[in-house]
Amino acid sequence: MMSGSSPPPPSLPAVSGSFFFRGYTKLCKGLAVILLLVHLVVQLFPSAVTYLALIPGRTIPFAWNLITAGYVEQTIPGVIVSIIGLLLFGKLLEPLWGSKELSKFIFIVNFSTSACVFITAIVLYYITQQEIYLYTPLSGFYGVLSGLLVGIKQLLPDQELNLFVLKVKAKWIPSLVAVISVFVSFFVKDLMSYLPVVLFGIYMSWIYLRYFQKRLETGLKGDPSEEFTFSSFFPEVLRPVLDPIASIFHRLLCGRSERSDARGQTLDTSPLPGSDSIEANRRRERGQRALEQRLAEKLAAVRSSEGTSLDAADKEERTCTYLQQPRPHRGFYSQ
């Protein structure tokens, strides 16, 4: 195993005070505007839900609702939570991923979550023969929000976030959200329709980040580290039961030979001890360097603009002073 203490996780601004009001990215602000506009359209024209939300019984002719459903918030609290969550989580992830990767992640998680919800509704209908599963409008941005929490768990697992009076490490927040969603759905039946969206959002985002996201620094796909296994979402007491089940999906989605270079395997395809921990530490170091570099670039740009304006003002002042000084009279024969 790797000796010595692991490097500290990337340091981020405290989630309080001015953190809520500054630094939002253009991508997230644009998506927030879309969420607000779609909500207003649905409120002004209720029939628009039929064409934008996911209605499994009508998805075959209206296939586009697999994409649009994620951006339809039918309630005021829903659109408020979605916009705030998008802005805050996006501000944490976009400096590390970049705008292109973040937009790709949101699209994939949104579409795959809607597809899984559609399939689940069809299966439940054939099992129960209840048409409520076919014609209940399903929508909401919660799948993407849950997926963004998984991204924070991957990149900043030890970062503490303030949740009201509690401080919770980022690596436990997706699991906490899943447990709370399941618990609340038993008592508030109206929230039952949101439960599949939240759960599939967590799972599909983990599938993408674990096996398919391309890492620009290495050119490889996925995240094979031990700290990002499926069982890492659960308490350690359950991991001996979950690991054998998760290994089946691991072999289906990603063969061992595809990761021989990334995980430092020997010729007999057995992983080197501690290679997963080393990879996780390297990823945290890269995340920290990327964040510090972006912050340094912004600071340098601000200082450069301030320095340019100060230099111009100082130059203008020296010129005026020089022109105002008296000049000695020089005669025709003066040398």
Side-chain angles (χ1 to χ4, degrees):
M1 297 297 291
M2 184 178 181
S3 61
S5 59
S6 60
S11 177
L12 291 176
V15 187
S16 61
S18 61
F19 180 82
F20 286 98
F21 304 102
R22 296 188 301 178
Y24 301 123
T25 63
K26 292 182 178 179
L27 172 62
C28 293
K29 288 190 288 188
L31 290 176
V33 171
I34 292 176
L35 289 173
L36 180 60
L37 291 178
V38 173
H39 173 73
L40 293 176
V41 169
V42 169
Q43 296 299 314
L44 295 175
F45 307 99
S47 60
V49 174
T50 306
Y51 302 96
L52 298 178
L54 175 62
I55 302 178
R58 300 175 179 176
T59 298
I60 299 303
F62 300 155
W64 61 80
N65 60 31
L66 292 173
I67 298 176
T68 60
Y71 301 97
V72 178
E73 287 293 350
Q74 302 182 47
T75 63
I76 295 177
V79 73
I80 293 175
V81 171
S82 296
I83 290 176
I84 293 177
L86 171 64
L87 293 175
L88 293 179
F89 302 157
K91 182 163 60 172
L92 295 178
L93 290 174
E94 189 168 345
L96 303 177
W97 281 353
S99 299
K100 182 178 180 180
E101 176 58 32
L102 180 60
S103 59
K104 179 181 177 182
F105 175 84
I106 291 175
F107 176 82
I108 291 176
V109 172
N110 177 50
F111 177 78
S112 60
T113 299
S114 297
C116 290
V117 171
F118 167 74
I119 295 173
T120 301
I122 296 297
V123 171
L124 289 175
Y125 167 73
Y126 279 108
I127 293 175
T128 64
Q129 294 297 311
Q130 296 183 15
E131 293 188 353
I132 188 175
Y133 294 110
L134 290 182
Y135 298 105
T136 299
L138 304 173
S139 63
F141 201 66
Y142 300 111
V144 175
L145 292 183
S146 303
L148 294 175
L149 289 175
V150 176
I152 295 175
K153 167 186 168 62
Q154 180 200 31
L155 295 177
L156 308 167
D158 297 321
Q159 176 69 33
E160 287 190 344
L161 301 178
N162 294 326
L163 300 179
F164 301 104
V165 296
L166 299 178
K167 286 186 177 181
V168 182
K169 288 188 176 181
K171 62 182 179 181
W172 297 118
I173 292 182
S175 305
L176 187 61
V177 168
V179 171
I180 293 176
S181 300
V182 173
F183 179 79
V184 173
S185 65
F186 283 108
F187 300 95
V188 184
K189 297 301 181 181
D190 293 338
L191 299 181
M192 181 64 74
S193 60
Y194 294 102
L195 182 60
V197 177
V198 173
L199 297 182
F200 281 124
I202 292 175
Y203 188 68
M204 298 311 297
S205 61
W206 175 78
I207 289 290
Y208 172 71
L209 295 175
R210 178 72 170 174
Y211 299 107
F212 299 107
Q213 185 187 48
K214 187 174 182 180
R215 293 174 289 169
L216 298 178
E217 65 274 7
T218 62
L220 301 175
K221 291 184 178 181
D223 179 358
S225 64
E226 187 69 22
E227 290 81 358
F228 199 58
T229 60
F230 180 72
S231 60
S232 68
F233 288 81
F234 300 88
E236 293 186 5
V237 67
L238 299 177
R239 294 181 185 180
V241 179
L242 294 171
D243 282 337
I245 300 174
S247 64
I248 298 175
F249 295 96
H250 177 79
R251 286 192 294 268
L252 291 175
L253 293 171
C254 180
R256 294 167 64 91
S257 60
E258 295 178 0
R259 298 194 180 274
S260 58
D261 293 334
R263 302 180 63 177
Q265 293 179 328
T266 58
L267 294 177
D268 61 355
T269 69
S270 59
L272 291 174
S275 60
D276 287 343
S277 299
I278 295 174
E279 174 64 23
N281 292 331
R282 288 176 178 173
R283 187 175 64 255
R284 282 194 289 268
E285 289 178 347
R286 288 193 295 268
Q288 184 177 11
R289 287 197 299 268
L291 180 60
E292 292 176 350
Q293 182 179 358
R294 290 177 183 272
L295 293 176
E297 289 175 354
K298 291 182 179 180
L299 182 60
V302 172
R303 290 179 175 176
S304 177
S305 61
E306 291 178 352
T308 302
S309 60
L310 290 175
D311 290 343
D314 185 57
K315 182 177 179 181
E316 182 180 358
E317 182 179 358
R318 290 199 303 268
T319 302
C320 293
T321 303
Y322 176 78
L323 293 175
Q324 293 173 0
Q325 291 178 351
R327 299 290 188 273
H329 177 74
R330 300 177 63 90
F332 180 81
Y333 294 102
S334 59
Q335 300 296 325

